[in-house]
Amino acid sequence: NIDGLDIAARSLYCDETGGDYFDFIGNDTKQLNVVIGDVSGHGISSAILMASVRAFLRQRAHLPGNLSRILSDVNRQLITDVEDSGNFMTLFYLRLDPVKRCLSWIRAGHDPAIFYHPFSDRFDDMHGKGTALGITKQAVFEENEKTGLTPGQIIVLATDGVWEARNKEGNMFGKEPLYHIVRQNRNAVAEDILGKSFQSLEEFQTEAVREDDITMVVIKIVDLDS
């Protein structure tokens, strides 16, 4: 519960356990760190790697340093565990500051988050340069910033299991249906947007076997003066 933000999140795994990951890490300044990640592969080994990254992040996030420094330190720690295995993890790290009405983010090999402006009915992809975690110790992570947050704006973070989900005919779900759901439900609460997204995805796949983990986080900017 963070003043000024309405948040909902959910994961569905294709196995009993998986490597998709989302987390919320608060601090003493009313900022909120939102993390979503996707470990290569599926099953127990991916879940163990995901748990390790979660522990590294939670420990490092409470120490001084900007987002770039945080992910650089976590990446170096992770390299010692996975450099000979070929495993890696994509990550999107978002820091929201409702008081200053701004956000910053790093995209470490992960798909860009989606930012929706309801008044102009525009979708922006939250791009940024950065390598997936566990690839190289020399990885450089670009920190990006957006200011002037206003009530009604919506941010969607997801793993590629959402738009790359296939139906029994082999067609991919894609991002356009997600844009449509966000647009049509822009006045709804985050939990409703999330629920309709998963419902649409389930109806699309019907009898198809889920081949990848699916994770989504929906963040709606509400009353920033609260």
Side-chain angles (χ1 to χ4, degrees):
N1 294 319
I2 300 291
D3 290 340
L5 302 174
D6 174 25
I7 304 173
R10 189 182 304 172
S11 282
L12 290 178
Y13 295 126
C14 59
D15 296 319
E16 290 186 8
T17 59
D20 270 17
Y21 160 65
F22 70 86
D23 204 1
F24 306 104
I25 308 171
N27 58 33
D28 297 332
T29 62
K30 292 191 175 181
Q31 294 176 334
L32 177 67
N33 298 289
V34 183
V35 185
I36 188 168
D38 186 357
V39 177
S40 57
H42 308 288
I44 296 296
S45 61
S46 295
I48 292 173
L49 180 56
M50 178 267 285
S52 297
V53 172
R54 179 183 186 274
F56 296 154
L57 273 173
R58 281 188 158 261
Q59 181 184 46
R60 182 60 186 84
H62 291 289
L63 300 174
N66 59 21
L67 299 190
S68 180
R69 181 66 183 274
I70 289 173
L71 282 199
S72 293
D73 289 348
V74 170
N75 180 61
R76 282 193 294 270
Q77 182 70 38
L78 184 62
I79 285 285
T80 62
D81 287 349
V82 302
E83 62 181 342
D84 296 326
S85 69
N87 293 330
F88 61 91
M89 181 177 189
T90 67
L91 196 81
F92 195 98
Y93 194 119
L94 174 68
R95 174 172 288 171
L96 289 141
D97 192 325
V99 175
K100 294 182 179 179
R101 300 176 181 243
C102 67
L103 56 83
S104 53
W105 73 90
I106 285 181
R107 190 173 76 92
H110 200 81
D111 279 294
I114 299 168
F115 193 100
Y116 178 61
H117 304 265
F119 303 109
S120 60
D121 192 28
R122 187 178 83 249
F123 288 91
D124 292 335
D125 283 340
M126 298 171 66
H127 290 288
K129 296 179 180 178
T131 306
L133 304 179
I135 301 293
T136 173
K137 289 183 179 179
Q138 286 72 45
V140 176
F141 301 100
E142 175 186 86
E143 186 168 344
N144 307 272
E145 186 177 57
K146 183 183 289 290
T147 60
L149 298 181
T150 58
Q153 293 171 330
I154 298 169
I155 307 164
V156 178
L157 293 77
T159 56
D160 59 12
V162 175
W163 28 81
E164 292 183 3
R166 294 182 181 273
N167 60 15
K168 60 182 179 181
E169 286 78 28
N171 300 316
M172 286 200 303
F173 186 69
K175 291 188 178 181
E176 287 301 324
L178 188 58
Y179 294 159
H180 178 75
I181 291 167
V182 172
R183 178 181 288 117
Q184 294 299 311
N185 296 277
R186 57 189 172 190
N187 295 320
V189 298
E191 183 61 43
D192 286 349
I193 297 172
L194 181 75
K196 289 180 182 298
S197 298
F198 273 80
Q199 179 184 353
S200 179
L201 190 57
E202 182 178 350
E203 292 172 351
F204 172 79
Q205 289 194 282
T206 56
E207 300 175 2
V209 176
R210 188 184 305 126
E211 297 179 349
D212 198 1
D213 303 330
I214 297 171
T215 298
M216 186 183 299
V217 179
V218 177
I219 304 167
K220 188 171 184 180
I221 311 299
V222 289
D223 186 4
L224 294 173
D225 295 321
S226 61

